[in-house]
Every structure is written in C-alpha cells, then in structure tokens.
Amino acid sequence: MAIAKLEGSKEVCLEGGCLLAGGTPVLEKVAPGASVRPDSGAGAVLEFTASAGRPTARADIDLGKLCASRFLALGRTSLWWCTPAWGTSAEQVPEETQFLLLELAGGRGGYALLLPLIDGGAFRATLRGGCDDGTLRLRIESGAAEVTATSWRSALLVAAGSDPFKLVDGAVAAAARLSGTSKPRGEKEVPGSADVFGWCTWDAFYSRVSAAGVEAGLASLVAGGAPPRFLIIDDGWQQTDVDPQYREAAAAGCLHSESTLDVGSAVHEVEEAAAAMLSGPDNNQDATAAPAVQAARELADSGAGSRSLLELLTSWAGTAQRSVASLLASLQAAFFNYCRQLLEVTPANHWRMRVFSALAASRLVRPALLSFYASASDHTRRLVSVQANAKFGSPSAGPEHALNSEGGDLAGVVAALKARYGLQYVYAWHAMAGFWGGVGLDDPQMAKFKPQLVLPTPTPGVLAVDPAVAWVQPVLSGVGLPADPRQLHEDMHAYLAGCGVDGVKVDVQSTIGLLGSGAGRGGGPALAAAYHASLEASARRHFPGNHLINCMCHSTEDLYRMEDTNLARVSDDFYPTRPESHLAHIANCGYNSLFFGALVIPDWDMFHSLHDKALLHATARAVSGGPIYVSDRPGRHDFQLLHRLVLPDGSVLRCRLPGRPTADCLFADVSRDGTTALKVWNANAVTAVIACFNIQGSAFERSLRRFNTHDASPPALAAYVRPGDAPVLADAAEMFAAYLDSSKDLRLLGAADCLEVRLAGGGGSDVVTLSPVAEAGGVLFAPIGLTNMLNAGGAVLRSGFGCSISGGHSDDGYDVQPARAALTLRGAGTMLCYCSHAPTGVAVGGQQVPFSYDAEGAALTFELVPAEGRPAGAAVDCAVQF
C-alpha cells in the first residue's frame, strides 16, 4: 500500500547525538543505543537495544535532554482514561504519557510530535520525565515476565511539521499503522447513530435500569419534542452474579436488597464509594446530598395532595423506611470515602500505600474486602448468561427483579420500543470480557467458554498514576476470561442482533491490557490485540453500519487496534453530582480529541439537560463533532436547551470534524493559568464554528489522583476569536461574517480581525459562527444558519465554502444583473444570512416565503419550516434573489 508523505512535514534525523527536526533540536544527548530510520509516512522511528544486552520484559531508556519551549502531554491517569498536562521541561512530563506535542524554538521551529509505539505487537512504550537534568525517558514493556526482548525496532515515532493539526493527524495515523491495525478516521464508515439525538440509561437509572424505566424515559423526551432516535441500554440488563461464596453478602447488601430498590441515588452513592477503591481515582464520587435528594423526589412524586390520609401515611412510612436505608448507605459510603481520602493524599511509593496494598491482598483482609464489594458494587459480578435478565422480561417489567434473574425477553422489549417511539438504533452495553468480572467460573451457561481465572500484576507505570490498581477487582478477585474471546463475542452479539439490537457500547477495554500479565496470556499488548480483533470481526458480522462505541479504552493497546470501529469515548464519565469534574471534563475531551480524533469520531459522553452546567455541556457537545445524547431521568429535562441541539425529527446538526483546541490554546493550561479561555474549532459544510469556554478553576490533579477545584471563584475571561482559528477557513475569503450566539451580534471580520467574547467564571461558554463572504458585483453575502441552534451553521449544507452567486446590484435600485444566492439547507427555525443589500425575494423549496431585512445590521432572516411530509433534517434548496 502506498503511504502518502505527511503534508508540511519536516525532516527528522539524528546527527552527532542530537535529534533534529528541520534543523531544530528536539532531543540532545540521545541515548547511545538508539538508531533512527525514516518512516515513509511521517517522520522517523527510533530503535533501541537493551543496555545490558540481556532479554528483559521491561526497559527504561534515557532518551536525551528535551528541547522544547512548551509541551502538551496526554497521559493515562488510570487504567482507562488519560488527561492533558502542560509544561516546559522534561521533568514535568507525567508517567504513562502516550502523546507529546512540542513547540520548538518558541514557535519559530514549528512543532514536533513524539508518539510511543507498540513494537512487534508485544511491547508497549510510554514516556515520562526523568530527573531534574531535563532528561526524557522512555519505558517499553510487555506486561508479562515471560515475554522478553533485547531490542525494539519500533519504539518511538518522532514527526515534525509547521501545521499542528496536519502533523497530529498524519503522525497518529502512522503510529497506528506501525503499532496495530487502526485505520484513519476518514477511511472508516460513520455510524448513523452519530447524526441523531440519543438517550442513555446510565445516569438515569444506573444498574437498576429496567424495561419500564426505559419506556418512561423515552416517553418523557418524546412528549417534550426532543425525540431520541438512538438508545443506549447501559449496564444492568445482563444476567450477572458474584462468585458463590459472596452471593449471600450480595443479596443482603444495600445494592440489590428489596428494601432499597427505590433508593437509587443513595445506593449509587455506595456503589461509587466502593468503585472509588475498586476502580481508582476517576470513579470517586462525593454525593453526600444524594439520599436527601432522592427522598425529596419520592415525596414530590407521591402526589400527596390527592390521596387519603391512610394512603399518605402508608406512603410516608415507606419513604421513612427507604430513608433509613439511605442513611445506612450514606454511612457505608462515608466510611469508604474516608479510607479513599486518606490514601489519595499519599504518594504512590509511600509506605502507607504499600502497606494498604499488601493488606488488601492478604488472607486476613481480602475476603472481607471482597464481601463488602459484593454487597456494594457491581464490579465483582461476572456474566452468567448472554441473555437479558427479568428486568427486561416485558415492556412493563420493573427494577424489582435481581440481576441474576432469568426470564428476559429483550427481543419483545426492543420491538415494542422501536414501534412506539420511532427508534432507529438501539445499542446494548457490555464489557470487553462480558462483564466487569468477566464470565462466571462455575455457571452452567458459561462452561462452553472454558473460563479461566486470571489474577493480573499491575505494571509500575500504571501503579505510579493509580496506586488503587493494586486492590481493584481484577487484581483481588481476578477476571474470568474465556479460552477464546471470539466465541464469547459471537454468542453475545448473535443474541443481541437476534433481539433487534443494532450495536454495542463496549466498556472496560483497557482492563484487558492489565490482564495480559496473567500466566500464559502473552502480555498486555498481545492480549488486547486478540480481544480487539475478535470484537471488530464480530461487530462487522452482526452490526452492519459500524455500530460500536469503544469506551474505557485510553491505552494505546486499545486505540491502535480500533481497525474499523469509528466511535470512542474521549474522557472519563460525566458525573452529575461532582461539581469539580465538569470544567475538567471539557478540557479532557477537547485535548484528548486532538489525539483520538485522528483515528475515531470522539464521543464526549452523555450529560443532563437539567443541570447547573447543562449549557456548558450542551455547547461542548454541539461542537464536538461526535454523537449527542443525554442521560436525563424521566421528567427531568430542559427542553428549551434540548431544542437548541435536536431538530423536531430527532436529527442533530453534527459538525464534520473532531472538535479540537485552536492552535493558540494547545500549550496553554486552560484549567489553571487563570488567564486563558479554551477555544474549540470545528467545521460544517460551509461555515466554521468556534466555541469558547472559561473552564479555569477545576482540573484533574495528578498529585491527588482525582478531580479537584483549586479556585472556587475563577475570574471572568475574554476570548479572542479570529477567522484563522479554524484552519478550514484558510484562504477561503478575504472577509467573514461572524455571529455571536449569546448577543445575537452579526458583524464582518477581516482575515486578521478578531472578535472579543466575554465569558463568566466557573463555566461560561459561547459560540461564534464564521462564514466566508462571497462577493459579486458589489453584493456581499454569507449564510450563517439557524440561530435557534447552538451549531447554527450546521444547517447550511452546500458543499464547499461560499455560495452560488452571480451578477450585481445597482446603486439606484435597478437590477442590472440580478444576483442570486443558491443554498441547500436543513432544519427548522430562523435562518440568518449576512447581506449587504436587501434581497427582492426568498424561496424555500421553490415557494416564496416572507423575510425580514435589517439594513443597519445587514441581516436577512426568514423562517425555515419543513413542508408537510418532509423531515426537519432533510435537505431543501433555497434561493435568495437580489
């Protein structure tokens, strides 16, 4: 296969112990055992030989002294997720860095990108800072003691160029080719679910999801005029159970006992507290108000005003009983969170951490800890059947059934939901190995998979960023892995497809790399490769249209193996009750999309439309270029906001590219420096869009291993938007029409002009739509889009930039060469165009429509109303006559 050379690239070479990019130093005093070979697609590949010359499963190599003005690093902060970090020296490069973008010579030398590779499918490389001497280090490891080597032919890709976005796209595609099987994003099929509005059950019900709950959620959204066409049935639909010795504890615990079936928020508080210890820092949750909120919600929902005294007393007695259960759940969660908080301020290599890890794995503590986890979390459960549980036994089945109950009729439920609510796509959740704990070891329906218990050993790099991995569920209780993942994926997906399910969300992916350390598993990269090959092949067979979302997948062992699948989550979860996480969520999504977006469409996760940060999240999703879906509880929606994202037919105005930070934000710490607003750019068919965010004040703190608010009152900021912030507008025009969503201000900008955007502290956001101005005979014209939508320009579909306009307009009002702008539009609402002259008429679908023209603001507006029988998302031709 011919490999295109990276456009605008700079030559990378090794001269006199110095690694140069276009003559500018990238690394000085390069390791003596290093050699460089050019890559036909991008940059150069560094090869290394073990210093001792003996076979080893892990090598730490001093690459050399880093030469960079500033850097952006993307490194793992847990098994599953990575976050951005910024700095100016090598010692600031975090452990488990998988992407290192450098600004060279203060920007005069362009950019260099360092991408650790996976060598020979068996050794995964990462970067990290060295000592205070500015040395950058590379670690390369198989993850299994028995998998060794003395040299690594493809350890690190170094590429350089003058355009950071072209550099990243080209170099990451080359890294994927060298490391695995993933194709570039543009070569993969776009699933139809990305272009319609969706609803996910997770934050609405958590694992207590049921068919009746799904029905209620869909009905609620449809009634408000925001019909989902895409549904994700998240964790909670499968038949799962804990190991036999812990089933009594699980049955008696707060998570699944009958007395707490209706105390969802309180139960989830305990589940998250347990998950904080099981899953590391990213799942920690401080939801102290959840029980009170849940009790108040149930009282409000009881309809007390229309009930008899006896009914009221009975209802209150039940509420009191549930409140007691909520209180007990809160006490359990508080104790567990206290232990977590004590450890989160302890350095990874501290004696306290080592002692706790040893205790957790000891015969004295491990059984008690696993018993508690069984009672308080789903993470120790294993799959006992590929079929649905009884909560999906009929469309009216509720959450009173246990997770291990038989009698599911998922086919009947899915058919009823599609028929009643016009769903186009239904996805079901599952873990990469079936469930969190894999497949059941002694359960009859799992015997065909010949499961084996795997007890992994975490790598030093993962333990450094997340010491809790030493006592997570896979390490303490192991994971039941099938002898061959292909049979498991085949059976699960054949069942789901037979039930009318269109796709899957596949979670817990990076745990597979951890499990590669198990005896005979071949190491993390090898085991991950086998599972991804199985997953991709099964998805191709059973879910035509490329319907798969990759999740919890931020190891390069996963990213570089997403061969055809084209959707992946790019951040940790949306956490409704954790205020310290919301601003950081936007930063993590934006910067991770720079990396992941070269290979997949970025999924910025669900959110709640009725939330104090709902506008922030909605704005981010509108410019993300990924799917747009919420996880609202039934009856808890902000339809005014949803209508700014969702068209009446359930389609959305999705941007054409991954949303990424503008070039002037790449090396700025938009969470901590107190001065920089984040700008995210994207493209529509004709227009560009720049979203601005003030997300100073909160971040994921690596030193604490959790989200943290370091400034409770961050200042207001100004962002300055220029046409050049969107590379797609380069050379598109000399003038641009700019529309600011918050003020409804429309103005002209020259190519070098800027628009000031004021942003409130604590999550202020705004959107600027930029449209190239076309000129003919003195008439200036630029379509903006639907002003009732956050991504207004997504409504303008004519391909390319500009519009079909010819002729002119005379100063005396007589048309000497009538000008005409031809557009193709979609959607419903108020269409805005910049026009230097008043038009004589506007036609939509061949029919003249009323319009308004503001001469002072040069603003033309008219209503785009779908004709009878035409969906709002369907294209329609429009003509503006001058």
Side-chain angles (χ1 to χ4, degrees):
M1 179 180 67
I3 299 171
K5 185 174 177 60
L6 177 62
E7 183 181 350
S9 63
K10 296 176 181 287
E11 182 184 8
V12 177
C13 61
L14 184 63
E15 293 183 4
C18 184
L19 188 69
L20 303 173
T24 302
V26 177
L27 290 169
E28 294 177 343
K29 300 179 181 178
V30 174
S35 60
V36 172
R37 74 173 190 273
D39 179 73
S40 56
V45 178
L46 272 66
E47 310 174 15
F48 297 94
T49 301
S51 57
R54 294 190 299 270
T56 180
R58 180 175 66 251
D60 290 309
I61 300 166
D62 289 346
L63 288 178
K65 184 178 180 180
L66 185 66
C67 303
S69 307
R70 298 182 292 175
F71 71 74
L72 163 67
L74 299 174
R76 283 208 289 181
T77 50
S78 73
L79 268 180
W80 306 310
W81 309 114
C82 67
T83 62
W86 297 266
T88 57
S89 60
E91 52 265 30
Q92 295 170 299
V93 176
E95 293 263 6
E96 282 287 308
T97 289
Q98 304 179 124
F99 172 107
L100 187 62
L101 181 66
L102 309 178
E103 179 189 64
L104 302 177
R108 299 183 303 278
Y111 307 90
L113 180 60
L114 278 62
L115 293 169
L117 302 173
I118 295 175
D119 180 65
F123 283 81
R124 172 178 172 265
T126 58
L127 298 171
R128 60 192 176 103
C131 302
D132 294 337
D133 61 357
T135 300
L136 182 67
R137 288 179 172 164
L138 179 131
R139 172 172 284 163
I140 188 161
E141 56 194 338
S142 67
E146 69 272 17
V147 180
T148 62
T150 57
S151 63
W152 302 272
R153 178 168 167 75
S154 298
L156 180 70
L157 175 68
V158 180
S162 55
D163 182 318
F165 304 108
K166 291 178 181 177
L167 169 63
V168 169
D169 281 350
V172 172
R177 170 175 46 81
L178 291 163
S179 299
T181 56
S182 182
K183 301 171 185 173
R185 182 197 72 254
E187 296 179 12
K188 300 178 183 180
E189 182 177 4
V190 177
S193 58
D195 290 309
V196 294
F197 176 56
W199 178 62
C200 177
T201 63
W202 180 243
D203 286 314
F205 302 110
Y206 302 111
S207 59
R208 282 143 308 271
V209 63
S210 67
V214 174
E215 169 114 15
L218 293 172
S220 183
L221 286 164
V222 169
R229 299 297 180 229
F230 168 42
L231 166 68
I232 301 176
I233 303 174
D234 215 294
D235 187 359
W237 68 270
Q238 295 167 291
Q239 290 183 42
T240 63
D241 212 337
V242 296
D243 291 339
Q245 64 269 37
Y246 300 113
R247 287 176 184 175
E248 184 176 348
C254 68
L255 186 59
H256 304 294
S257 62
E258 292 184 5
S259 62
T260 56
L261 280 171
D262 297 324
V263 210
S265 296
V267 168
H268 188 61
E269 181 185 7
V270 180
E271 185 177 15
E272 286 295 299
M277 301 295 281
L278 284 165
S279 312
D282 299 285
N283 281 17
N284 188 22
Q285 178 172 354
D286 179 18
T288 55
V293 171
Q294 178 69 13
R297 179 183 295 137
E298 292 182 356
L299 279 171
D301 292 343
S302 65
S306 61
R307 303 168 75 178
S308 70
L309 179 60
L310 179 60
E311 290 174 326
L312 187 60
L313 289 174
T314 301
S315 173
W316 282 357
T319 301
Q321 182 183 12
R322 291 190 294 272
S323 297
V324 170
S326 297
L327 178 61
L328 292 174
S330 294
L331 290 174
Q332 283 183 293
F335 172 77
F336 213 67
N337 278 323
Y338 171 76
C339 295
R340 181 69 176 91
Q341 290 162 12
L342 179 66
L343 292 171
E344 73 183 8
V345 295
T346 302
N349 58 354
H350 193 274
W351 66 264
R352 185 187 299 155
M353 198 68 72
R354 293 195 296 272
V355 168
F356 187 88
S357 298
L359 281 174
S362 70
R363 292 183 179 181
L364 177 66
V365 175
R366 179 175 172 273
L369 193 57
L370 287 176
S371 180
F372 174 77
Y373 290 159
S375 71
S377 169
D378 283 338
H379 288 201
T380 54
R381 303 181 75 87
R382 310 190 200 278
L383 191 70
V384 299
S385 172
V386 299
Q387 299 182 15
N389 58 48
K391 292 188 295 172
F392 289 82
S394 71
S396 60
E400 65 275 7
H401 303 284
L403 289 171
N404 61 359
S405 57
E406 298 179 348
D409 178 18
L410 187 61
V413 171
V414 169
L417 294 175
K418 286 186 173 182
R420 292 174 190 173
Y421 299 107
L423 290 171
Q424 294 174 253
Y425 311 102
V426 175
Y427 284 21
W429 178 99
H430 71 77
M432 186 65 126
F435 201 68
W436 293 91
V439 298
L441 303 171
D442 301 304
D443 298 284
Q445 293 189 52
M446 297 293 103
K448 64 181 296 185
F449 304 123
K450 300 177 182 177
Q452 297 174 323
L453 184 65
V454 177
L455 293 162
T457 301
T459 63
V462 169
L463 286 174
V465 298
D466 183 7
V469 173
W471 59 84
V472 295
Q473 171 269 330
V475 173
L476 285 189
S477 64
V479 174
L481 289 185
D484 186 342
R486 292 175 294 184
Q487 185 64 62
L488 175 65
H489 290 153
E490 169 67 26
D491 281 17
M492 288 195 301
H493 294 167
Y495 167 73
L496 290 170
C499 291
V501 171
D502 304 282
V504 285
K505 172 186 174 183
V506 183
D507 230 330
V508 206
Q509 292 192 11
S510 293
T511 297
I512 300 299
L514 170 70
L515 295 169
S517 62
R521 296 293 157 176
L527 190 62
Y531 268 77
H532 276 281
S534 169
L535 179 68
E536 297 268 335
S538 182
R540 278 193 296 270
R541 283 193 301 273
H542 296 291
F543 306 122
N546 207 16
H547 290 288
L548 188 149
I549 301 174
N550 296 281
C551 191
M552 301 176 75
C553 55
H554 285 194
S555 171
T556 47
E557 295 162 329
D558 303 302
L559 176 61
Y560 291 152
R561 292 290 177 180
M562 297 174 189
E563 182 175 359
D564 291 309
T565 56
N566 203 13
L567 285 171
R569 279 271 304 281
V570 291
S571 78
D572 195 357
D573 291 7
F574 163 77
Y575 292 109
T577 58
R578 294 170 61 186
E580 70 276 14
S581 71
H582 295 291
L583 306 187
H585 186 97
I586 308 304
N588 295 347
C589 285
Y591 287 92
N592 285 340
S593 291
L594 182 68
F595 181 19
F596 279 65
L599 302 178
V600 292
I601 296 170
D603 177 353
W604 289 33
D605 200 19
M606 64 196 91
F607 70 101
H608 278 173
S609 71
L610 191 61
H611 191 277
D612 63 348
K613 290 294 187 287
L615 178 60
L616 171 74
H617 283 286
T619 302
R621 303 320 187 270
V623 300
S624 71
I628 297 175
Y629 57 107
V630 296
S631 54
D632 294 354
R633 287 177 60 88
R636 296 184 57 80
H637 318 285
D638 182 342
F639 285 112
Q640 185 175 359
L641 180 63
L642 288 175
H643 292 160
R644 303 211 65 198
L645 293 170
V646 188
L647 296 175
D649 66 350
S651 60
V652 298
L653 303 179
R654 185 174 64 88
C655 295
R656 297 288 180 97
L657 299 172
R660 289 163 286 182
T662 57
D664 57 348
C665 294
L666 289 175
F667 302 104
D669 188 340
V670 295
S671 299
R672 302 177 185 85
D673 70 12
T675 60
T676 307
L678 171 64
K679 295 183 294 181
V680 174
W681 70 274
N682 213 320
N684 296 304
V686 173
T687 66
V689 58
I690 311 290
C692 305
F693 305 95
N694 183 348
I695 53 175
Q696 296 284 341
S698 297
F700 187 93
E701 296 291 352
R702 282 177 162 81
S703 61
L704 297 175
R705 301 184 291 274
R706 63 173 171 83
F707 294 107
N708 180 60
T709 296
H710 54 267
D711 185 353
S713 301
L717 297 176
Y720 297 93
V721 174
R722 299 170 176 81
D725 286 337
V728 292
L729 294 182
D731 304 320
E734 295 182 358
M735 300 291 291
F736 299 86
Y739 173 73
L740 183 60
D741 181 72
S742 62
S743 65
K744 311 303 180 187
D745 181 42
L746 177 65
R747 66 178 66 180
L748 278 184
L749 295 178
D753 294 339
C754 69
L755 175 67
E756 182 182 65
V757 181
R758 303 295 301 179
L759 301 165
S765 62
D766 213 334
V767 182
V768 178
T769 300
L770 296 165
S771 182
V773 175
E775 186 273 334
V779 177
L780 303 180
F781 181 84
I784 296 296
L786 293 174
T787 58
N788 50 296
M789 306 298 288
L790 283 169
N791 180 25
V796 185
L797 295 181
R798 180 166 298 267
S799 61
F801 288 101
C803 56
S804 300
I805 182 168
S806 60
H809 189 93
S810 65
D811 290 335
D812 60 5
Y814 291 95
D815 294 333
V816 292
Q817 288 182 316
R820 184 174 181 271
L823 304 171
T824 302
L825 307 175
R826 68 185 294 244
T830 301
M831 179 68 193
L832 172 67
C833 301
Y834 176 88
C835 298
S836 61
H837 294 72
T840 59
V842 175
V844 176
Q847 302 296 315
Q848 292 292 313
V849 298
F851 65 89
S852 298
Y853 181 72
D854 174 9
E856 183 177 355
L860 165 68
T861 57
F862 58 92
E863 294 302 309
L864 191 62
V865 180
E868 185 176 354
R870 179 175 67 83
V876 60
D877 290 330
C878 169
V880 180
Q881 187 70 50
F882 295 90

Short mmCIF file of all heavy atoms in Angstrom, two decimals, residues 308-329:
data_model
loop_
_atom_site.label_atom_id
_atom_site.label_comp_id
_atom_site.label_asym_id
_atom_site.label_seq_id
_atom_site.Cartn_x
_atom_site.Cartn_y
_atom_site.Cartn_z
N SER A 308 -55.74 9.91 50.20
CA SER A 308 -56.34 9.83 51.52
C SER A 308 -55.28 9.84 52.60
O SER A 308 -54.10 9.63 52.34
CB SER A 308 -57.16 8.53 51.63
OG SER A 308 -56.28 7.42 51.67
N LEU A 309 -55.72 10.10 53.85
CA LEU A 309 -54.78 10.15 54.96
C LEU A 309 -54.08 8.81 55.13
O LEU A 309 -52.87 8.74 55.35
CB LEU A 309 -55.52 10.53 56.26
CG LEU A 309 -54.66 10.60 57.52
CD1 LEU A 309 -53.56 11.63 57.36
CD2 LEU A 309 -55.53 10.93 58.74
N LEU A 310 -54.86 7.69 55.02
CA LEU A 310 -54.26 6.37 55.18
C LEU A 310 -53.21 6.12 54.09
O LEU A 310 -52.12 5.64 54.37
CB LEU A 310 -55.35 5.29 55.12
CG LEU A 310 -54.84 3.84 55.25
CD1 LEU A 310 -54.13 3.66 56.59
CD2 LEU A 310 -56.01 2.87 55.13
N GLU A 311 -53.56 6.49 52.84
CA GLU A 311 -52.61 6.31 51.76
C GLU A 311 -51.37 7.17 51.97
O GLU A 311 -50.24 6.74 51.72
CB GLU A 311 -53.26 6.68 50.42
CG GLU A 311 -54.33 5.70 49.97
CD GLU A 311 -55.03 6.20 48.72
OE1 GLU A 311 -55.20 7.42 48.58
OE2 GLU A 311 -55.39 5.35 47.89
N LEU A 312 -51.60 8.38 52.49
CA LEU A 312 -50.48 9.28 52.72
C LEU A 312 -49.56 8.74 53.78
O LEU A 312 -48.32 8.74 53.63
CB LEU A 312 -51.01 10.66 53.12
CG LEU A 312 -49.99 11.79 53.25
CD1 LEU A 312 -49.27 12.01 51.93
CD2 LEU A 312 -50.67 13.07 53.70
N LEU A 313 -50.15 8.25 54.91
CA LEU A 313 -49.33 7.70 55.99
C LEU A 313 -48.56 6.46 55.51
O LEU A 313 -47.39 6.27 55.85
CB LEU A 313 -50.21 7.34 57.19
CG LEU A 313 -50.79 8.54 57.97
CD1 LEU A 313 -51.75 8.05 59.03
CD2 LEU A 313 -49.67 9.37 58.60
N THR A 314 -49.24 5.62 54.74
CA THR A 314 -48.57 4.43 54.21
C THR A 314 -47.40 4.82 53.32
O THR A 314 -46.31 4.25 53.39
CB THR A 314 -49.57 3.57 53.41
OG1 THR A 314 -50.65 3.20 54.27
CG2 THR A 314 -48.89 2.32 52.88
N SER A 315 -47.64 5.83 52.48
CA SER A 315 -46.57 6.29 51.60
C SER A 315 -45.41 6.84 52.40
O SER A 315 -44.24 6.55 52.12
CB SER A 315 -47.12 7.37 50.65
OG SER A 315 -46.08 7.95 49.91
N TRP A 316 -45.73 7.66 53.43
CA TRP A 316 -44.66 8.25 54.23
C TRP A 316 -43.89 7.17 55.02
O TRP A 316 -42.70 7.28 55.23
CB TRP A 316 -45.23 9.29 55.18
CG TRP A 316 -45.53 10.60 54.48
CD1 TRP A 316 -45.29 10.89 53.18
CD2 TRP A 316 -46.14 11.74 55.06
NE1 TRP A 316 -45.72 12.16 52.89
CE2 TRP A 316 -46.25 12.72 54.01
CE3 TRP A 316 -46.64 12.05 56.32
CZ2 TRP A 316 -46.79 13.97 54.23
CZ3 TRP A 316 -47.17 13.31 56.53
CH2 TRP A 316 -47.25 14.26 55.50
N ALA A 317 -44.62 6.13 55.46
CA ALA A 317 -43.93 5.06 56.18
C ALA A 317 -42.93 4.37 55.25
O ALA A 317 -41.80 4.06 55.64
CB ALA A 317 -44.94 4.04 56.71
N GLY A 318 -43.35 4.12 54.01
CA GLY A 318 -42.43 3.52 53.05
C GLY A 318 -41.26 4.42 52.76
O GLY A 318 -40.11 3.97 52.67
N THR A 319 -41.56 5.73 52.66
CA THR A 319 -40.47 6.68 52.43
C THR A 319 -39.51 6.70 53.60
O THR A 319 -38.28 6.77 53.42
CB THR A 319 -41.05 8.08 52.18
OG1 THR A 319 -41.91 8.04 51.05
CG2 THR A 319 -39.94 9.09 51.95
N ALA A 320 -40.04 6.64 54.83
CA ALA A 320 -39.17 6.63 56.02
C ALA A 320 -38.27 5.40 56.02
O ALA A 320 -37.09 5.47 56.35
CB ALA A 320 -40.02 6.67 57.28
N GLN A 321 -38.87 4.24 55.64
CA GLN A 321 -38.07 3.01 55.59
C GLN A 321 -36.94 3.16 54.59
O GLN A 321 -35.79 2.79 54.85
CB GLN A 321 -38.96 1.83 55.22
CG GLN A 321 -38.21 0.49 55.19
CD GLN A 321 -39.12 -0.64 54.75
OE1 GLN A 321 -40.22 -0.41 54.26
NE2 GLN A 321 -38.66 -1.85 54.94
N ARG A 322 -37.27 3.73 53.43
CA ARG A 322 -36.24 3.92 52.43
C ARG A 322 -35.22 4.95 52.88
O ARG A 322 -34.03 4.85 52.56
CB ARG A 322 -36.88 4.33 51.10
CG ARG A 322 -37.68 3.19 50.45
CD ARG A 322 -38.09 3.53 49.04
NE ARG A 322 -39.04 4.63 48.98
CZ ARG A 322 -40.37 4.46 49.05
NH1 ARG A 322 -40.87 3.26 49.21
NH2 ARG A 322 -41.16 5.49 48.98
N SER A 323 -35.66 5.95 53.65
CA SER A 323 -34.73 6.96 54.15
C SER A 323 -33.73 6.35 55.12
O SER A 323 -32.56 6.74 55.14
CB SER A 323 -35.49 8.11 54.82
OG SER A 323 -36.31 8.76 53.89
N VAL A 324 -34.19 5.40 55.96
CA VAL A 324 -33.27 4.71 56.86
C VAL A 324 -32.23 3.95 56.04
O VAL A 324 -31.02 3.97 56.33
CB VAL A 324 -34.03 3.77 57.80
CG1 VAL A 324 -33.06 2.88 58.57
CG2 VAL A 324 -34.89 4.57 58.77
N ALA A 325 -32.71 3.26 55.01
CA ALA A 325 -31.78 2.54 54.15
C ALA A 325 -30.80 3.51 53.49
O ALA A 325 -29.61 3.22 53.35
CB ALA A 325 -32.55 1.76 53.08
N SER A 326 -31.32 4.69 53.11
CA SER A 326 -30.45 5.69 52.52
C SER A 326 -29.39 6.15 53.51
O SER A 326 -28.23 6.34 53.15
CB SER A 326 -31.28 6.90 52.06
OG SER A 326 -32.18 6.54 51.06
N LEU A 327 -29.81 6.34 54.77
CA LEU A 327 -28.86 6.78 55.79
C LEU A 327 -27.76 5.74 56.00
O LEU A 327 -26.58 6.07 56.09
CB LEU A 327 -29.59 7.06 57.11
CG LEU A 327 -28.71 7.48 58.29
CD1 LEU A 327 -27.98 8.78 57.97
CD2 LEU A 327 -29.57 7.65 59.55
N LEU A 328 -28.17 4.46 56.09
CA LEU A 328 -27.18 3.40 56.26
C LEU A 328 -26.24 3.36 55.06
O LEU A 328 -25.03 3.17 55.22
CB LEU A 328 -27.88 2.06 56.44
CG LEU A 328 -28.66 1.88 57.75
CD1 LEU A 328 -29.42 0.56 57.73
CD2 LEU A 328 -27.73 1.94 58.95
N ALA A 329 -26.81 3.54 53.89
CA ALA A 329 -25.98 3.55 52.69
C ALA A 329 -24.99 4.70 52.75
O ALA A 329 -23.81 4.56 52.40
CB ALA A 329 -26.85 3.67 51.44
#
